[in-house]
Every structure is written in C-alpha cells, then in structure tokens.
Amino acid sequence: QLRTDFYSPSCPNVFKIVRKEVQRAMMNEMRIAASLLRLQFHDCFVNGCDGSIFLDGDDSEKLAIPNRNSARGFEVIDTIKTAVESACSGIVSCADILTIATRDSVLLSGGPNWKVLLGRRDGLVANQTGANSNLAGPTETIQSILTKFTSVGLNLTDVVSLSGGHTIGSSRCGVFNTRFFNFSGSGAPDSRIEESMLSDIQNTCPSVNGDGNKTVPLDRNSVDLFDNQYYTNLLNGQGLFASDQSLATGNETLTATTRTIVELYSDQNQRFLDDFVKSMIKMANISPLTGTDGEIRNNCRTVNS
Ligand code: HEM
Ligand SMILES: [Ca+2]
C-alpha cells in the first residue's frame, strides 16, 4: 500500500526539504544521524511506524524506560516538520518524515541509499507500556531479542543486520558499564571483552562516582561512518553491549547462527549494506496506518484537535 511516489503530486519537494534539514542538523552535530535512526526503530516497534514516539505527555513513549533521557532528535523532527509544512501544509505525516530523515541520515553518514516507501499516517495514541515491553535492552539474550523482532515480522537475519545500526552513534555509560566491572553478578568483567577496550571503558565509565550520562561510541573504531566495522569489532571482542557481543561470541544457542552472519558482514561491507537496506525497508513497513486511518498531524508532538 505504501509507495515511493506517494507525495509526487502533493509535495514533490519533500525529499529536498528533508535532506537539507538533515544535512544542516548533521553539520551542527554528526551524532544526530544516529539519533534519528534509533528513533525510527523505536517508533516502528511500538504500534507500528506511526509517529507515536513523537507525542508528548505523561503517558508518552518518550518517558518509557528505553527512551527516557535517551531518545533524542525530537527538535530536529520539529524543524523538518515546520519546513515541510511551509511548503505543503497538511500533507506529509510525521511518520513519513522520520522514514525519509532516517534514510538521509544513513546515506549522509556514508551508508547506502535506497528508495523509501511512503504514505504512512500518524497514530492517534502513544503506547508507553508497549515501548517498555517491545524494545530490547542491552543485557537481553539474542533469543529474547529475536522474540521481540519476530512479533513484528522480522527474523534472525534482521536482528543481525539491524544491530549494525550500532555502527554509528553513542551510548551513555550508565546503561552498560556493569558489564565492564561486574558482569551479570559475577564480580568480574565479561571475559569476552578485548583488553584495551576493557581498560579504556573502565577509565571512561567508572563504576563508582562516574557520570552515568557520559557517552562513548557504540562502534569504537568508526563512530560516525556507516560501515561494517561494528561486525569486525564483535569478532575482536569489542562489542559495547552484551547484546551486541553475543551475536559473535558466547554460550547462547543462537550465537552459532548469528556468528556466521557477523563473519559474512565483517568480510563483505556491501553484503552488510544490502541486507541493512532490506531490513530497514521491512522495519519501516511494520503496521503502517494508511487510507483514512490515523491523521496527518499538524505538530508531531500532539494529535490534531
Ligand atoms: C537488537 C537490539 C538492540 C538493543 C538491545 C539496542 C540497545 C541500545 C542501547 C542500550 C543504546 C544506547 C542508549 C543510551 O545510551 O541511552 C542504543 C543506541 C543506539 N541504537 Fe540500539 N539497540 C538495538 C537495536 C537497534 C536497531 C535495530 C537500531 C537501528 C536500526 C539501533 C540503532 C541505535 C543507534 C543508532 C543508537 C545510537 C543513538 C544515538 O547516538 O543517539 N539499535 N541501542
Ligand atoms: Ca561505523
């Protein structure tokens, strides 16, 4: 139902406008590309790709545990929406703006280009409970992450290729640093961690008296470039989260399967990029609202009155 030329008659300049605003935002702060990419993941896994993550309020998804003090980029979405509205008022949904902005973020980070399918409409409600339950955490097993992906129609290959989103962006120390000191209550760091990374992160993210909001790169050797370095890191024991590292090493049952894919992507950048695009298109297709369902929000933060 979604189509690449959905806005050709009604807002032909939407691509140019979004591209320009993403470019501007990245000039100001490169990391914003990663933040926008993550927003699409967190939007699509909760009520489908319907812009529900943009809604403000006490019951918002923004205040769910995986997003609170963590999800970012909302001001950039507001800026893009304002620019799009001034060119074609009431035509382009916030959900579609995010989809285009995400593609542009990946492309402008040196990643692949692709044609995005459009025609999503914006949802009328946020789902904070859904955000708390559907989004994966950094200490979850691959099996548990796979279950969450399967329930939105994605598979194990999608888990591995989309985890490659961690090729750009950063994480706060507080969400992962116990792994570097007291891994799952063992009193010791995760033994899979490569030694230079271990001392580096222990220094940057101390377990006591540290600033849990300090950030470190997810892809320690290539933080701003959209490439396959993330997978090479995993093979070298340099994954930041246990959930990343377990795709390549460890004693989980699924690791044998995911490691084969990690090796493939580490070996062939193009294969990673091709699979990432396929998985992104699948993810952006999760239960869109179309036709007369939902609405075209005037302001991404609130439903229309
Ligand atoms: C597979 C399960 C996943 C887990 C457990 C996970 C977990 C996390 C965590 C804990 C953070 C850091 C949060 C913080 O510092 O507050 C993060 C950041 C990020 N995630 Fe994931 N993630 C997963 C999948 C994905 C997917 C599918 C994508 C996109 C395709 C993605 C893209 C990102 C990006 C780009 C960032 C950095 C954001 C920024 O710098 O602002 N993640 N993720
Ligand atoms: Ca990278």
Side-chain angles (χ1 to χ4, degrees), residues 190-205:
D190 186 340
S191 62
R192 295 173 294 178
I193 303 168
E194 179 272 328
E195 61 180 344
S196 72
M197 177 173 185
L198 180 63
S199 55
D200 184 17
I201 298 283
Q202 284 179 333
N203 285 320
T204 317
C205 304

Side-chain angles (χ1 to χ4, degrees), residues 26 43 55 61 79 86 94 105 142 184 220 223 233 244 248:
M26 286 176 68
D43 182 31
L55 293 171
E61 294 170 22
T79 304
S86 66
C94 299
S105 294
I142 310 174
S184 31
R220 52 191 278 104
V223 58
N233 289 350
D244 292 319

Side-chain angles (χ1 to χ4, degrees), residues 31-42 45 66-72 135-140 145 149 158-159 161-173 175-176 215 218 241 243-244 247 276 280 283:
R31 183 187 171 194
I32 202 67
S35 305
L36 293 172
L37 170 59
R38 186 169 188 237
L39 282 185
Q40 171 120 70
F41 165 46
H42 284 203
F45 269 58
N67 291 329
R68 195 185 314 166
N69 297 322
S70 180
R72 56 200 299 282
L135 298 168
T139 61
E140 270 182 60
I145 291 170
F149 274 60
D158 298 315
V159 171
S161 63
L162 290 175
S163 291
H166 291 171
T167 181
I168 54 173
S170 300
S171 172
R172 293 171 302 150
C173 292
V175 308
F176 65 82
T215 57
L218 290 170
F241 305 144
S243 56
D244 292 319
L247 297 172
F276 182 80
M280 283 297 288
M283 185 170 83

